[in-house]
Amino acid sequence: MTRFLFFLLILLGPFGLTGCVDALEVKIPEGRPLLAVEGEITDQPGPYLVRLTKTAPYFEEDALPRVRGAVLTLADNEGHQETLREIGPGTYATSTLRGKVGNQYVLTIRSEGEEYRAETEIRRTPEIDSIRAEFRAKTATQNEGYYILYYGEETPGVGDYYRFKVFHNGILLNQPNDLIVTNDEFVDGNYINGVELTSEKGANDKPFAKGDRVRVVAESLPRDYFYFLNEMVTQLNNVGLFAAPPANVRTNVRNVQPGSDKAAVGYFAGHTVRADSLVIR
Amino acid sequence: MLRPFLLFLLLLLPGLTAMAQQPGPGRAPDANASVTLSGYLRDAANGEALVGASVFVKALAVGATANEYGFYSLTLPKGTYTITYTYLGYEAQETPLTLTTSLTRSVRLATRGVQTSEVLITGQKPDENVKSTEMSVNRLDLKQVKLMPALLGEVDVIRSIQLLPGISTVGEGAAGFNVRGGGVDQNLILLDEAPIYNASHLFGLFSTFNPDAVKDIKLVKGGIPAQYGGRLSSLLDVRMKEGNTQRLGVSGGVGLIMSRLAVEAPIVKDKGSFIVAGRRSYGDLFLKLIPAQKDNQAYFYDLSMKANYTLGTQDRLYVSGYLGRDVFAFGKDFKNTLGNRTGTVRWNHVLNARLFANVTGVVSKYDYGLGVPEGNQAFDWKSNIVNYNLKADFNYYRTPQSTLNFGAGAIYYTFLPGRVTPGNASSIFRPLALDEQQAVEYDAYLDNEQTFSARLSAQYGLRLSMFDYLGAGTVFDYEGPDGRQKTPVNPRQYGAGKVIKRYPNLEPRASLRYALSETSSLKASYNRMVQYIHLVSNTTASSPLDVWTPSTNNIRPEKADQVAVGYFRNFQDNAYEASVEVFGKRMDNQIDYINGANTLLNKNLEAELLYGRGRAYGAEFYVKKNQGDFTGWISYTLSRSERQINGLNNNDWYVNKYDKTHYLSVVGLYQLNPRWTLSGTFSYSTGIATTFPDSRYSYQGLIIPNVNGDVRNNYRVPAYHRLDLAATREGKTDPNRRWHGSWTFSVYNAYARRNAYSIYFRQNKDNPLRTEAVRLSVLGSVLPSASYNFNF
């Protein structure tokens, strides 16, 4: 539904009001570095990767500092457990563990004298029926061109959360406004008969065209991870009269070291992966 | 069920019957010696009631003031007096009268100087600033407002009150206003007694009030009389014109954005009249000219209507209504409509020369709908708040030194927080509805305006209010740590009409005036306010989709205690008035939201609410020049508004987004000659408070801002300042022609400052490693406009 709120914002356009945005210099202090976690486990074969970095001052353009030499263990509720190997600076990988729908996982991170823990799960998933590329004429809100549509059943029972990723000729659409997360509150158990996952533009703002390859990945998410991604969507596209208050995006990485107040950011998420692809003809 | 109220009413009743019997021989101790002079004060040209006009008996140094309906009552010893009727901007009338028995005398006053049909409403005596017990009250002189610069030439009362001390906004284009560090939902906005739940068109650019239909605007920020309640921060009392009882009058205007037309006429001369006023924007008509935009709609309109009729000498009936609507549509892809509608019926009854009664019935509704009309994502989403209000108010003119005001009322509310229905059979959406909610708010009050001596006067009273949150409905308790989404537990079902939760409250009110001299006084006031309904709004500016919610078993009524003291002084025979006020306010049960809260269509909204305390304090300085070719005012406010909410900002106090340390307005009007008036306004304020990040991290290639320690509102956007200019050229006054026209030329944001509405942070589109701060300005350049206004 956020898409419709977005319509409301662009409504001001036709009135020719002189609203505008421009970049501006602001001075802000440099925050102290925190552990930033980015990792996932899926129901597809591993290895699963966890990347550890440090937060950096907001305007610093260098790559984020990697966190090396940490000890990461991953355990599931079936009694499997393994210690991850550091396969590159700050990148840690599993070797044996296999993610499975219905299981729960605990990632433990020991680094620089602190201990952190992140809990997640892999939830049920519907299957993709198909994806299609549909050519549409210009309308009041859409330009002419190919739109990528999703078809598939939604599992009955409220409480399912999804993310969709679209790859255009192998490139992930990954601008802040390409993040698509949704839940089944309004569509529970219904057949999704063609919902746009994109505008007419694909990667690098190039329109989808005949002969282009398109791949769609559907992920079924745990509830808390959905909120994490949804807060990301809000904070990364937070402009307009009705912007939400700027606030930190949630994390599931908790510091469990007694007496420590060092927070961490980021997310270790379990999710399923279902994919389909097509060539536009 | 309503025991405390019945008790209160029973206490009132004996008094009431006693009052109703007066004056009768032998009843009151002074009945034989006293007589009462009463009646109505009206404008000679159009019959409008002169609210606040005064009646004065010099020999006794006593007087009375006309109430909202122009009624006055003055009890005097028998004798011969010269009675003076005065009203600012009108010729005073002096009449010798020999009073041997009670007398009804209605008086019509003529406007001073050139007689035009334009209504001049000031509502103030020249020395009211010093003499009245009221403090923290601002009135707008509509005639003056119409000469001031206006955005796109459209006179806007809500924009204009933001030039007064203590009143601010979170940004241009933002709906509503903030009074003394309170939220936008903490203002009781009444249009002819009917509450307006969203006072904006176009998301906040224009207010819902048509200036052609408005007679009187009063904003009360403190020392709020016991008659009013239900909101914490202020009362904005907007009263519509009654309509010309003497002759047909037409007025209107053509501007860049909209056109206006108002027609008023007698129903029966001197007995009744009506006014109908409408406005419509026509931006959408231009859209039709652009082929790509021809299916799009974006417009708003409003219609204000009022009629009154005199039923004999004792009774008068008023019926008023308002209908406003905003419509936006993008072809068949999207549609949104929203608006207020209100209806008010009032019956004035003079029970006797000293007891005036008014019974009011009100219906008010705010609703919005949005949806996609066609296709596989067709849906229709509706939400509304409706209230029905019945109340009776009495003014009892006990003695020239004391007026008792009392009354009681009840408001029944229904809330539809949101209901979504699929638009057609092939829609992917399923029906989804949040439970409707119901509630009743009761009140009863007693208030006394008392003059103790020439120096000391007071108004004090007590308001008893009570709120019942009613079934049918299912309620929950919520468990979990503050700051995170809580879990609903312990569901309970309630049948229709069952009281789920009851909140009774006592609200004492008092204001005091002590005259230091003829031209200066000290005033002090205290009020406790309780607010039972709340606007759930988690965005910078409140959006038209925000939903009102009642107090529930979890959401407790908001409460505020405010103390204000002030020094008031007039100079040079009331040519200048000045005041300094200092206020302090404490607020309880303030509502806030967890990070990332979803306030729309959320079945477990209460799981995402947080509650805490608020405090606001400040000083307001105001100097106004009322007379001469050059008039205007300077207003400066120094203030602070903070809140402490468990679960936010590490449970520490933080400043509200609408906190403004400095807030300055300068307004000047200069009458160059009888035809040209020049005006200018300048405002300056501290930028709104916001949260800036201090660090960043990356997640799947996207850069996320983060602030250490999870603090809130740690920065300010740059200061806001703006200059507006206007020139008005009146048409020639020709006694043989009734048509009178005028041109207004205005320039908004004369030096084109790009005031920051907000500052946000984003990654650069082309280089995802680069991050930048970005300023959003809503009206960031010069906006010139011209409009033509007429009346005949």
Side-chain angles (χ1 to χ4, degrees):
Chain A
M1 290 271 160
T2 45
R3 181 174 147 224
F4 302 111
L5 298 181
F6 176 72
F7 279 142
L8 282 181
L9 296 183
I10 57 176
L11 276 169
L12 287 170
F15 281 82
L17 293 172
T18 46
C20 51
V21 292
D22 58 351
L24 179 89
E25 285 272 312
V26 295
K27 283 224 180 322
I28 48 180
E30 301 188 350
R32 67 172 180 161
L34 305 175
L35 177 70
V37 178
E38 177 189 346
E40 58 184 16
I41 179 162
T42 72
D43 66 336
Q44 304 298 312
Y48 311 115
L49 302 182
V50 177
R51 207 166 62 101
L52 299 187
T53 55
K54 284 280 177 68
T55 61
Y58 186 76
F59 289 118
E60 198 169 291
E61 285 186 26
D62 303 336
L64 295 164
R66 313 285 175 110
V67 177
R68 301 177 188 210
V71 179
L72 282 74
T73 53
L74 182 61
D76 69 11
N77 57 327
E78 290 180 348
H80 305 108
Q81 179 167 341
E82 73 165 300
T83 301
L84 281 65
R85 288 176 301 121
E86 187 169 6
I87 56 167
T91 304
Y92 303 81
T94 61
S95 11
T96 59
L97 207 84
R98 174 68 206 254
K100 205 167 98 180
V101 169
N103 274 6
Q104 282 134 38
Y105 301 89
V106 178
L107 175 73
T108 308
I109 303 167
R110 283 186 204 85
S111 171
E112 298 176 349
E114 305 283 328
E115 182 173 332
Y116 305 89
R117 190 173 296 171
E119 295 175 21
T120 189
E121 63 180 322
I122 302 180
R123 287 183 44 85
R124 66 180 185 176
T125 178
E127 303 297 326
I128 302 178
D129 240 14
S130 62
I131 59 164
R132 291 179 208 170
E134 186 177 283
F135 188 82
R136 291 186 174 172
K138 187 171 171 55
T139 73
T141 56
Q142 289 184 326
N143 289 322
E144 182 186 88
Y146 286 99
Y147 287 78
I148 308 304
L149 309 184
Y150 177 92
Y151 292 79
E153 293 287 350
E154 204 285 319
T155 321
V158 180
D160 296 304
Y161 304 90
Y162 307 104
R163 173 173 184 193
F164 299 95
K165 290 177 178 164
V166 180
F167 295 81
H168 181 199
N169 291 330
I171 304 165
L172 172 67
L173 272 61
N174 202 27
Q175 291 291 333
N177 58 7
D178 292 324
L179 257 177
I180 312 168
V181 289
T182 182
N183 63 31
D184 65 347
E185 202 177 355
F186 298 102
V187 297
D188 179 47
N190 291 349
Y191 186 80
I192 308 303
N193 59 342
V195 167
E196 307 85 6
L197 297 177
T198 64
S199 69
E200 84 288 0
K201 281 181 181 163
N204 302 325
D205 267 353
K206 287 204 183 78
F208 291 104
K210 276 200 170 118
D212 285 0
R213 286 172 294 116
V214 177
R215 181 164 179 265
V216 169
V217 172
E219 302 175 353
S220 176
L221 320 174
R223 178 186 154 91
D224 189 70
Y225 184 47
F226 163 78
Y227 280 106
F228 168 82
L229 290 174
N230 207 35
E231 288 173 24
M232 245 177 98
V233 172
T234 305
Q235 294 300 328
L236 301 190
N237 300 289
N238 205 11
V239 62
L241 276 181
F242 310 127
N248 286 346
V249 173
R250 70 176 66 196
T251 174
N252 71 335
V253 184
R254 315 241 170 267
N255 191 328
V256 291
Q257 187 80 15
S260 173
D261 66 342
K262 267 202 154 175
V265 296
Y267 215 94
F268 175 70
H271 61 81
T272 58
V273 174
R274 294 292 178 273
D276 198 2
S277 50
L278 59 76
V279 176
I280 301 176
R281 305 216 176 270
Chain B
M1 155 179 187
L2 307 167
R3 201 165 295 140
F5 276 86
L6 291 176
L7 207 65
F8 195 76
L9 286 179
L10 283 175
L11 288 173
L12 282 177
L13 274 176
L16 191 57
T17 38
M19 292 169 206
Q21 283 158 356
Q22 282 186 29
R27 302 237 179 229
D30 58 348
N32 288 324
S34 295
V35 290
T36 303
L37 176 67
S38 66
Y40 288 90
L41 295 174
R42 300 195 175 278
D43 182 304
N46 55 29
E48 290 281 337
L50 297 179
V51 180
S54 70
V55 184
F56 194 69
V57 181
K58 209 168 190 178
L60 301 175
V62 295
T65 303
N67 73 6
E68 298 95 320
Y69 303 95
F71 179 81
Y72 75 94
S73 168
L74 188 58
T75 298
L76 305 165
K78 288 178 182 172
T80 300
Y81 305 105
T82 301
I83 315 285
T84 313
Y85 296 94
T86 55
Y87 196 52
L88 190 64
Y90 284 69
E91 298 288 353
Q93 263 192 33
E94 289 199 348
T95 331
L97 265 186
T98 302
L99 291 168
T100 53
T101 156
S102 289
L103 193 67
T104 305
R105 197 160 185 283
S106 291
V107 173
R108 293 174 178 278
L109 298 181
T111 41
R112 193 179 295 154
V114 186
Q115 188 69 45
T116 69
S117 60
E118 190 169 352
V119 192
L120 179 85
I121 305 292
T122 54
Q124 262 186 299
K125 286 175 276 185
D127 56 355
E128 172 125 344
N129 181 47
V130 170
K131 292 285 168 66
S132 157
T133 323
E134 277 183 348
M135 66 181 299
S136 315
V137 171
N138 293 110
R139 282 195 173 77
L140 274 183
D141 179 348
L142 266 174
K143 198 179 180 201
Q144 200 170 38
V145 168
K146 285 177 178 175
L147 293 169
M148 279 157 44
L151 172 63
L152 296 166
E154 296 300 332
V155 172
D156 190 319
V157 297
I158 290 201
R159 277 181 180 277
S160 302
I161 59 173
Q162 291 165 9
L163 296 166
L164 296 168
I167 303 154
S168 65
T169 166
V170 292
E172 53 197 350
F177 53 96
N178 301 93
V179 177
R180 288 187 170 172
V184 292
D185 69 332
Q186 294 178 349
N187 307 312
L188 179 63
I189 301 176
L190 295 179
L191 177 63
D192 269 4
E193 308 273 349
I196 299 290
Y197 291 101
N198 178 354
S200 318
H201 284 305
L202 252 183
F203 313 116
L205 275 182
F206 299 103
S207 76
T208 50
F209 304 111
N210 182 344
D212 288 345
V214 171
K215 168 177 176 165
D216 185 43
I217 299 152
K218 183 163 113 171
L219 185 88
V220 189
K221 304 173 288 191
I224 299 175
Q227 184 183 351
Y228 296 101
R231 301 290 188 281
L232 286 200
S233 289
S234 79
L235 161 72
L236 180 67
D237 192 8
V238 181
R239 295 201 176 239
M240 288 204 264
K241 277 186 197 170
E242 292 162 15
N244 198 318
T245 60
Q246 303 301 303
R247 64 171 186 84
L248 174 75
V250 178
S251 61
V254 181
L256 289 182
I257 287 283
M258 57 182 134
S259 281
R260 291 170 280 115
L261 188 69
V263 177
E264 48 188 319
I267 298 170
V268 174
K269 197 178 173 195
D270 288 332
K271 290 211 85 170
S273 60
F274 73 90
I275 176 167
V276 178
R279 297 191 294 180
R280 192 192 187 282
S281 74
Y282 31 63
D284 58 317
L285 304 179
F286 299 122
L287 287 181
K288 298 237 185 301
L289 301 176
I290 310 166
Q293 303 279 349
K294 69 178 171 32
D295 294 330
N296 295 351
Q297 297 177 333
Y299 64 91
F300 62 86
Y301 62 87
D302 57 43
L303 199 60
S304 311
M305 294 150 290
K306 187 166 179 175
N308 72 89
Y309 198 78
T310 306
L311 311 158
T313 53
Q314 313 288 296
D315 299 274
R316 197 176 180 102
L317 197 65
Y318 294 85
V319 181
S320 43
Y322 173 86
L323 170 67
R325 210 81 195 142
D326 282 36
V327 178
F328 311 102
F330 284 108
K332 285 168 180 143
D333 293 347
F334 178 72
K335 181 161 182 156
N336 172 220
T337 64
L338 52 98
N340 299 280
R341 60 195 78 183
T342 72
T344 308
V345 177
R346 279 177 293 189
W347 169 43
N348 285 181
H349 180 64
V350 181
L351 282 156
N352 66 45
R354 289 161 65 185
L355 183 59
F356 181 90
N358 178 50
V359 179
T360 308
V362 169
V363 182
S364 176
K365 177 179 182 179
Y366 173 72
D367 76 297
Y368 65 79
L370 73 161
V372 172
E374 289 184 5
N376 66 354
Q377 289 172 66
F379 74 91
D380 186 33
W381 168 0
K382 285 191 182 336
S383 170
N384 65 49
I385 172 172
V386 182
N387 77 40
Y388 306 89
N389 181 5
L390 190 65
K391 59 180 188 142
D393 299 293
F394 300 86
N395 305 127
Y396 176 55
Y397 301 91
R398 208 160 66 90
T399 65
Q401 286 75 38
S402 161
T403 302
L404 286 179
N405 308 302
F406 55 93
I411 308 173
Y412 176 69
Y413 294 98
T414 62
F415 303 83
L416 176 66
R419 181 170 58 215
V420 175
T421 45
N424 56 43
S426 66
S427 170
I428 63 167
F429 295 114
R430 65 180 185 126
L432 184 90
L434 306 190
D435 286 347
E436 285 191 53
Q437 294 168 299
Q438 309 79 28
V440 189
E441 185 175 333
Y442 305 93
D443 69 82
Y445 67 91
L446 177 64
D447 164 276
N448 184 22
E449 295 174 54
Q450 181 78 47
T451 306
F452 294 103
S453 71
R455 282 190 185 278
L456 187 65
S457 60
Q459 179 168 5
Y460 51 90
L462 190 64
R463 180 182 177 88
L464 174 62
S465 62
M466 188 167 81
F467 191 78
D468 283 349
Y469 177 50
L470 298 177
T474 306
V475 301
F476 298 89
D477 296 330
Y478 289 89
E479 275 181 359
D482 287 332
R484 299 217 205 126
Q485 209 170 37
K486 296 185 180 179
T487 314
V489 293
N490 192 18
R492 273 120 45 216
Q493 297 265 355
Y494 286 86
K498 288 269 177 301
V499 177
I500 298 170
K501 185 75 189 175
R502 166 170 291 172
Y503 295 103
N505 279 292
L506 272 181
E507 305 174 39
R509 315 280 175 84
S511 30
L512 202 67
R513 164 195 161 265
Y514 183 76
L516 297 168
S517 71
E518 264 303 296
T519 56
S520 65
S521 61
L522 279 177
K523 300 184 192 182
S525 69
Y526 162 76
N527 62 225
R528 160 166 284 203
M529 306 296 290
V530 181
Q531 177 163 348
Y532 297 103
I533 66 169
H534 324 272
L535 186 66
V536 177
S537 175
N538 191 28
T539 47
T540 312
S542 89
S543 112
L545 303 190
D546 290 340
V547 171
W548 286 85
T549 185
S551 296
T552 66
N553 53 312
N554 293 305
I555 304 171
R556 286 187 289 172
E558 298 175 56
K559 289 181 194 175
D561 291 294
Q562 187 188 199
V563 178
V565 291
Y567 174 70
F568 296 76
R569 168 118 201 229
N570 284 10
F571 298 92
Q572 292 187 12
D573 200 20
N574 302 318
Y576 292 87
E577 61 181 64
S579 61
V580 180
E581 289 193 41
V582 178
F583 71 91
K585 196 152 62 168
R586 196 183 67 188
M587 292 164 276
D588 287 317
N589 303 330
Q590 299 297 287
I591 297 173
D592 218 315
Y593 309 87
I594 62 167
N595 286 347
N598 168 27
T599 56
L600 291 175
L601 284 175
N602 184 346
K603 282 199 160 170
N604 284 310
L605 173 68
E606 291 176 356
E608 308 196 353
L609 300 185
L610 297 167
Y611 312 99
R613 300 178 287 167
R615 65 186 178 202
Y617 43 92
E620 299 167 354
F621 303 84
Y622 186 56
V623 183
K624 188 177 179 200
K625 183 171 185 293
N626 286 320
Q627 294 170 19
D629 289 337
F630 185 77
T631 55
W633 69 83
I634 298 172
S635 146
Y636 169 70
T637 308
L638 175 70
S639 68
R640 191 88 165 150
S641 172
E642 301 170 303
R643 53 174 52 192
Q644 186 270 317
I645 308 277
N646 285 340
L648 291 177
N649 196 47
N650 307 306
N651 304 344
D652 286 336
W653 286 91
Y654 66 95
V655 294
N656 278 312
K657 64 189 172 196
Y658 42 79
D659 172 69
K660 300 215 163 175
T661 313
H662 305 284
Y663 194 55
L664 171 77
S665 303
V666 182
V667 176
L669 293 100
Y670 180 65
Q671 177 138 28
L672 197 63
N673 57 46
R675 293 189 64 188
W676 280 96
T677 305
L678 307 177
S679 65
T681 58
F682 173 76
S683 27
Y684 171 94
S685 67
T686 308
I688 62 163
T690 185
T691 311
F692 282 4
D694 58 16
S695 49
R696 70 182 202 174
Y697 59 103
S698 141
Y699 190 82
Q700 299 189 354
L702 295 172
I703 290 175
I704 305 178
N706 194 70
V707 59
N708 267 266
D710 221 3
V711 295
R712 271 226 171 177
N713 293 350
N714 55 348
Y715 274 87
R716 299 268 175 182
V717 308
Y720 180 99
H721 49 90
R722 195 188 80 227
L723 175 72
D724 303 339
L725 300 167
T728 301
R729 180 182 177 274
E730 299 287 343
K732 283 201 179 101
T733 316
D734 180 349
N736 298 320
R737 261 191 351 159
R738 284 183 55 180
W739 181 276
H740 178 84
S742 69
W743 279 97
T744 300
F745 306 94
S746 64
V747 179
Y748 184 89
N749 198 4
Y751 54 85
R753 178 167 163 88
R754 294 180 93 168
N755 281 303
Y757 178 86
S758 64
I759 289 192
Y760 67 104
F761 295 82
R762 67 177 182 196
Q763 69 186 55
N764 186 284
K765 197 169 187 292
D766 304 316
N767 176 3
L769 278 181
R770 176 178 299 157
T771 43
E772 56 200 14
V774 180
R775 160 175 67 180
L776 168 71
S777 33
V778 177
L779 300 167
S781 64
V782 182
L783 281 173
S785 67
S787 57
Y788 180 73
N789 293 295
F790 61 88
N791 62 67
F792 61 86

